[in-house]
Amino acid sequence: MLNELGQQVAKLFGGRFSLTNLLPVTVLAALVSLLVAAGAYTDHPADVVAVVVRLGKHPVQAGLVVFGVVLAGVLLRPFQVALVQFLEGYWRTRALTLLNEVATEQHRRRRHSAEIVSRFEGTDPESGSFEAVVAQAHRNWRLERAAERAEQIFRRYPKEEGRLMPTHIGNVLRAGEDAAGARYGLQLNAITERLWPSLSSRMSGSISRNLDTIDTMCALCVALAAATVAALPTLRHPSGWTWIPLFTAITAAVAYRAALRAATGHARLLAAAVDLHRFDMLTALHLPLPFSPVEEIRFNKALSAFLGETDGTQPQVFPGMLVPYEHPAPSVPAPNSDESA
């Protein structure tokens, strides 16, 4: 039933739409509506049971409430997209310029510290007493563990400091985008529109589903954080609802961790897409395939620069195009079985 409802709603709104897209803002609207209906923002004791019983006795009123919550979710959907971009670190307003610089500097220092710690090399235990050798080996083990953790942290950041983002999840996503094509001299942000049509249906479906998961978890994190702020008045309310802000805050943290895990998986998917389909992209562009990894890197750097800088308003010559186009040979129709007989 829910699948049929989702399909009907998708037909109504068109595009990529699912009930999970409305989940974050719907949860926020439902919680705030419940708090208002139960009197959580007044001096009267909140009675949730009475609200639920009253809605149960009036099905029409309950249906109108559900419809209103869903409608609020639909109307707030564009703001949800903006909040997801905010969580990923795209802070373009002047009011957030200082905060952007401070947050980016914090991540720059964390990246630099992780890079230094990750370079640790253990030393051989010096000759001496058994206790001294054991103590030195234990120190080496602890430092090696710290170096491994620092290496994992360092890999979650872009290699170029100019590409750092002010949020953790933004850095994970950008590091994955940069690493996916950098091994072959490709800039993913310059070739994405050309690479995407060449992907297999299974690969493109996996990437789309993973992106939906990241968007949903990020939006759910922001919605639950907003719900935590909305539920703060219950801390001083005599209704005993002090657990609501704590529950929403913990759930928001869990959603953020889930978004980080999905972002790490997204980096692996992007790398697999470039590994498997970069030559399909060149074939679709009617460009010759490279004969060696060295030639491929040189060719891909020129191609990425050309695709990234050309705005399409004036014809330009691809600087790496020193060879003719590779056009596929026309297919010969198969002979008719009746004529061949």
Side-chain angles (χ1 to χ4, degrees):
M1 180 178 179
L2 290 177
N3 291 334
E4 295 178 357
L5 179 60
Q7 293 175 1
Q8 295 299 325
V9 175
K11 293 179 180 179
L12 177 61
F13 290 95
R16 291 173 56 192
F17 181 87
S18 63
L19 293 179
T20 56
N21 296 135
L22 290 179
L23 177 62
V25 290
T26 303
V27 168
L28 176 61
L31 179 60
V32 173
S33 300
L34 183 61
L35 292 175
V36 171
Y41 300 105
T42 63
D43 295 332
H44 303 288
D47 192 354
V48 183
V49 178
V51 175
V52 175
V53 171
R54 185 169 67 250
L55 292 177
K57 293 181 179 179
H58 301 82
V60 177
Q61 185 178 1
L64 291 176
V65 171
V66 173
F67 176 77
V69 170
V70 175
L71 181 61
V74 173
L75 296 177
L76 292 175
R77 171 62 181 169
F79 299 97
Q80 175 179 314
V81 176
L83 290 176
V84 170
Q85 293 178 348
F86 176 84
L87 191 62
E88 293 178 356
Y90 293 97
W91 303 347
R92 300 183 178 91
T93 59
R94 292 184 178 180
L96 297 175
T97 301
L98 179 60
L99 180 61
N100 188 353
E101 294 178 355
V102 172
T104 304
E105 179 62 26
Q106 290 294 328
H107 283 285
R108 182 178 291 107
R109 294 182 179 182
R110 187 170 184 237
R111 174 185 176 276
H112 183 65
S113 300
E115 183 180 9
I116 294 175
V117 175
S118 64
R119 296 176 179 176
F120 165 78
E121 295 182 359
T123 57
D124 297 331
E126 299 179 356
S127 59
S129 63
F130 177 78
E131 290 79 6
V133 173
V134 171
Q136 179 65 26
H138 184 64
R139 283 194 296 269
N140 286 342
W141 177 80
R142 287 190 291 106
L143 291 175
E144 288 175 358
R145 291 289 303 274
E148 291 177 359
R149 291 192 296 267
E151 178 67 21
Q152 294 177 358
I153 295 174
F154 181 72
R155 290 180 179 178
R156 296 178 180 178
Y157 287 97
K159 291 185 178 181
E160 299 180 7
E161 290 192 0
R163 298 275 293 168
L164 287 175
M165 300 289 287
T167 63
H168 192 183
I169 190 170
N171 284 307
V172 172
L173 290 172
R174 178 159 288 185
E177 294 173 357
D178 293 347
R183 296 174 297 171
Y184 305 106
L186 291 169
Q187 297 177 10
L188 194 63
N189 58 348
I191 66 168
T192 300
E193 292 79 5
R194 286 86 176 179
L195 178 65
W196 189 264
S198 301
L199 300 182
S200 63
S201 58
R202 179 175 298 181
M203 179 63 69
S204 60
S206 298
I207 294 177
S208 297
R209 288 190 296 270
N210 198 70
L211 284 175
D212 287 340
T213 301
I214 296 174
D215 291 344
T216 301
M217 290 298 103
C218 288
L220 191 60
C221 174
V222 175
L224 290 171
T228 302
V229 176
L232 286 179
T234 61
L235 294 176
R236 302 182 61 182
H237 201 275
S239 60
W241 279 18
T242 55
W243 57 271
I244 293 182
L246 179 62
F247 174 77
T248 53
I250 293 176
T251 310
V254 172
Y256 188 76
R257 296 295 299 179
L260 281 176
R261 184 175 293 273
T264 304
H266 183 66
R268 292 195 295 267
L269 286 174
L270 290 180
V274 176
D275 292 341
L276 298 175
H277 299 285
R278 67 187 190 280
F279 292 142
D280 297 331
M281 178 190 68
L282 295 180
T283 302
L285 292 172
H286 291 224
L287 296 176
L289 301 181
F291 295 99
S292 66
V294 176
E295 175 66 19
E296 179 186 5
I297 293 176
R298 184 196 66 81
F299 186 86
N300 287 341
K301 287 182 178 179
L303 179 63
S304 297
F306 172 74
L307 296 178
E309 296 178 0
T310 303
D311 56 7
T313 57
Q314 296 179 354
Q316 299 187 18
V317 179
F318 174 40
M321 184 59 68
L322 302 178
V323 293
Y325 282 109
E326 291 283 342
H327 298 300
S331 59
V332 179
N336 193 334
S337 59
D338 295 336
E339 295 179 357
S340 61

